[in-house]
Amino acid sequence: MITDVERNVVALEPQHGRPLAAKSVLARLKSRAGRRPARPSAAVVAAALLAGLTPVAAGAQPVAAAAPNHRDDPTQYWNNVLLHTFRDARGMDAAPGKLTRAAAMVYAAIYNAESAYQYTYGTMKYQPYLNRPLKYADRPPRRRPDEEERVIDRTAYRIISQLFPGDQAYIDAQFTARTGTSPHSFDIINRLVVDPVVRQINAARSGDGSDNSQVYNGDTTTPGAWRPTGGSCQRASDAVTPNWGMVKPFVLSSGSQFRPATLSAFASYADLLASPAYAGQVEEVRRVGAVNSTDRTVDQTAAAWFWANDLDGTYKPPGQLLELTGIVARRLELDKYQTTRLYALVSLSLADSAIAVWDTKYDTPIKLWRPVTAIQATGGANANWQPLSADRSGAPFTPCFPSWSSGHAGLAGAWAGAMKRFFGRDNISFTAHSEDPHTPVAYRSFTNFSQAAREDALSRLWLGVHYRWDVTDGLAIGENVADYLFANTMLPTRPGHPARR
């Protein structure tokens, strides 16, 4: 008996340098008639299916011969889908750590799936993340034109769906719009590539501490110690992801690996508040960060709002940097393989930087209060001081977690560091975009990555929600994280040597 799968298999296994004809394969299969039904080998099935032949199995739908929306890069397409889920995120799910972790899982999976594709055809130039290469066909057939797209599309769909189930209808629709098929249609790529890659990434992140929901119960009364700042931040328990500094990093050895020494110079909150350094920090943000500041320039105000993207409905700070990654990738016309590696390096740097920054916020002796609290505590004319930062209604807004160090700055430093190391230079010009509801300009242009990162970091000072040392230390954390990642993961393969397992 010949199965439906066997009837549709045209073997591409080489024989004296040439593929077997369909007639030869079917003859070989028919010779088994009368014996117990046998299934063709995985290699034969994979070769046939990767070449575009599909099984006529119950309920299975054929893979589209050509996708209708393959005009753009597949990773860039799915980045737009991911940013939509960021805009929908609310509460703790919208925290920088949560979003950067999701992005790192998405792009690590896409990169590893692309690495499997490159490894299968003998063209892999860089180690996969986690250094566990997957070769999905021992004797690969001739590449099908849409095979690389299918590998990326189906991997991206699977892991974004897993991470953002509330957006499932939207994600399904985007898959169909791109491929012309249902995401539930049969494709051998799922079994050969997507399943093992997603299992690998999930196993690596299992038990990483990201689901720790314990609320903050630290000191909120001692002068200098962080306390709620009003609005949606009313109670200590509102503090955002207080345990994120203890999340297992993607590449770093620990969240404290690049912890700055700045505030450890002070033995107590009292020592900190008595220091000239602290007085200078507070005075600067009082002058340039106030809602009615006359010391902040018009351009600094524009930059403050441009880089904010703190509010629900925006793609948040990580999303802005992921969008900017795509802007640069398109400008420099990266191919699919290069694009997957760039997004993986950037997103892993962002994720580990968020962990390292949150280590300084919550896991050091001093959990520094925000400028609005510090300035109002001085009394007098400052008792009613408010930052430029505001919510959609115009009410003062300060993120609900300690000040030192800056998350924006950490992410900006990580982004610029990853971009510089990937391209081997800093002097690449580009135009960035913002979707903050208050920004007076939707676009700003830059001549290099460091320039954009510095402005992104300093925007938090001009917005009135951070001190300068928050900015300086955050940038340093991000830069150090990117340096470490670039030296320790997804390295070039050595010519003549197989990829490490």
Side-chain angles (χ1 to χ4, degrees), residues 162-174:
Q162 166 193 300
L163 292 167
F164 298 94
D167 286 293
Q168 191 64 62
Y170 167 79
I171 300 166
D172 285 357
Q174 294 304 300

Side-chain angles (χ1 to χ4, degrees), residues 71-407:
R71 295 182 298 275
D72 59 352
D73 179 90
T75 304
Q76 298 260 29
Y77 181 90
W78 287 102
N79 186 62
N80 289 334
V81 174
L82 183 66
L83 297 191
H84 177 90
T85 68
F86 283 14
R87 295 182 188 100
D88 285 349
R90 296 292 186 271
M92 294 293 178
D93 290 336
K98 295 274 189 177
L99 297 182
T100 55
R101 176 183 182 270
M105 291 179 68
V106 168
Y107 295 114
I110 289 175
Y111 173 73
N112 277 7
E114 172 70 8
S115 296
Y117 170 82
Q118 298 291 338
Y119 189 31
T120 293
Y121 293 105
T123 52
M124 190 172 76
K125 299 177 182 178
Y126 302 96
Q127 298 285 349
Y129 171 62
L130 302 176
N131 295 321
R132 299 174 188 171
L134 167 70
K135 191 171 186 177
Y136 58 81
D138 290 334
R139 287 173 287 180
R142 178 169 52 88
R143 302 189 206 202
R144 196 184 146 173
D146 71 342
E147 184 179 331
E148 187 176 14
E149 302 268 353
R150 287 159 55 205
V151 165
I152 295 174
D153 287 339
R154 289 190 169 267
T155 302
Y157 167 81
R158 178 75 65 79
I159 200 153
I160 295 175
S161 298
Q162 166 193 300
L163 292 167
F164 298 94
D167 286 293
Q168 191 64 62
Y170 167 79
I171 300 166
D172 285 357
Q174 294 304 300
F175 181 92
T176 300
R178 177 168 175 80
T179 68
T181 65
S182 164
H184 309 296
S185 61
F186 177 86
D187 193 328
I188 195 63
I189 288 293
N190 281 340
R191 181 167 66 84
L192 298 179
V193 185
V194 179
D195 292 348
V197 165
V198 172
R199 282 197 300 268
Q200 177 196 44
I201 298 300
N202 286 341
R205 301 315 302 169
S206 178
D208 65 359
S210 60
D211 59 353
N212 187 334
S213 59
Q214 183 177 355
V215 300
Y216 184 69
N217 59 3
D219 176 12
T220 59
T221 59
T222 300
W226 177 83
R227 71 277 318 273
T229 51
S232 60
C233 186
Q234 294 290 331
R235 300 171 296 277
S237 60
D238 292 331
V240 175
T241 53
N243 309 294
W244 203 261
M246 295 182 285
V247 169
K248 172 188 171 185
F250 283 79
V251 180
L252 298 184
S253 59
S254 73
S256 62
Q257 185 171 341
F258 295 113
R259 183 188 291 176
T262 303
L263 295 190
S264 64
F266 304 103
S268 66
Y269 286 111
D271 287 344
L272 170 68
L273 269 60
S275 70
Y278 170 80
Q281 296 282 321
V282 173
E283 175 59 17
E284 181 181 26
V285 70
R286 185 196 69 80
R287 290 187 302 101
V288 302
V291 64
N292 56 354
S293 171
T294 57
D295 291 343
R296 186 179 57 245
T297 68
V298 172
D299 190 63
Q300 287 171 341
T301 299
W305 287 123
F306 181 87
W307 292 105
N309 295 289
D310 286 313
L311 306 180
D312 288 342
T314 71
Y315 47 25
K316 317 301 187 305
Q320 185 176 30
L321 295 173
L322 291 172
E323 180 190 60
L324 186 47
T325 302
I327 289 171
V328 176
R330 283 192 298 272
R331 183 182 179 283
L332 298 184
E333 299 181 343
L334 300 190
D335 63 25
K336 295 181 183 68
Y337 189 15
Q338 292 171 319
T339 300
T340 63
R341 183 168 179 263
L342 175 61
Y343 268 100
L345 283 167
V346 166
S347 61
L348 290 168
S349 296
L350 295 179
D352 275 5
S353 178
I355 294 170
V357 166
W358 253 248
D359 165 80
T360 64
K361 288 183 180 295
Y362 290 106
D363 300 322
T364 51
I366 292 179
K367 288 80 169 171
L368 186 60
W369 62 9
R370 287 282 183 167
V372 64
T373 313
I375 295 168
Q376 290 182 356
T378 63
N382 295 324
N384 296 315
W385 185 94
Q386 293 294 349
L388 173 64
S389 178
D391 63 19
R392 289 181 183 274
S393 72
F397 169 77
T398 294
C400 196
F401 37 78
S403 191
W404 184 74
S405 53
S406 165

